[in-house]
Amino acid sequence: MRRVEIAGAGFAGLVASIALADRGWSVRVHEKSSFVRAEGFGLSTQENMLKVLEALGVRDEVVAGGQRIVRRLVLDASGRTLMETAGRSNDQTARGFGYRISRSVIIAILLERARKAGVEIVTDSPVAGADPQGALILAD
């Protein structure tokens, strides 16, 4: 079985770990913190991210925790409207502008999905770098 070590349990690390585990790889993710958490608050998702979440089988669960974006508004520094675009209705078949979702919701769902895929998550495991062949060098 092929094995991979991933540095970081953020969006990229968790998505990569799920994709590889689903393809038969043995995966271990090293997270420097004592627990997996999201940085920041909300995130606006667009079609590309929604396609990735769909491929991982978590799209519906993730967007259920968000709010559909049906209007975009761009203001200048004085608060004047520079551009306003309204999406169609927010029914399930209409295309809007994606969703506004809490980062912590997305990370929690990806973490659960990674664990279900058999990914090993190791906390308190900071990575110092990688050697020229790509092997991770742990801080300890």
Side-chain angles (χ1 to χ4, degrees):
M1 176 182 285
R2 297 181 293 187
R3 178 159 188 76
V4 65
E5 306 277 333
I6 295 175
F11 292 121
L14 291 173
V15 167
S17 74
I18 295 164
L20 291 165
D22 284 352
R23 287 161 180 79
W25 288 68
S26 173
V27 182
R28 183 178 354 196
V29 176
H30 298 270
E31 172 55 41
K32 69 181 174 182
S33 299
S34 59
F35 59 95
V36 176
R37 60 179 162 61
E39 296 287 337
F41 299 102
L43 179 71
S44 295
T45 63
Q46 302 296 318
E47 282 303 308
N48 285 342
M49 183 173 182
L50 295 173
K51 288 178 184 176
V52 169
L53 296 172
E54 179 72 31
L56 299 175
V58 296
R59 182 188 187 279
D60 291 344
E61 187 178 0
V62 169
V63 300
Q67 179 180 12
R68 186 113 170 122
I69 300 170
V70 295
R71 179 175 164 235
R72 287 186 181 162
L73 182 63
V74 179
L75 305 175
D76 67 12
S78 300
R80 291 184 304 247
T81 300
L82 298 176
M83 180 181 79
E84 183 173 359
T85 309
R88 300 187 316 210
S89 70
N90 62 358
D91 66 48
Q92 295 298 328
T93 59
R95 287 215 187 266
F97 302 110
Y99 295 83
R100 182 82 173 151
I101 305 168
S102 163
R103 290 173 184 259
S104 61
V105 166
I106 298 170
I107 290 294
I109 291 168
L110 290 174
L111 180 60
E112 180 181 337
R113 172 68 170 81
R115 287 182 170 142
K116 285 181 181 175
V119 173
E120 179 185 358
I121 309 289
V122 182
T123 56
D124 292 318
S125 184
V127 173
D131 70 20
Q133 291 72 39
L136 289 184
I137 300 167
L138 301 179
D140 63 1

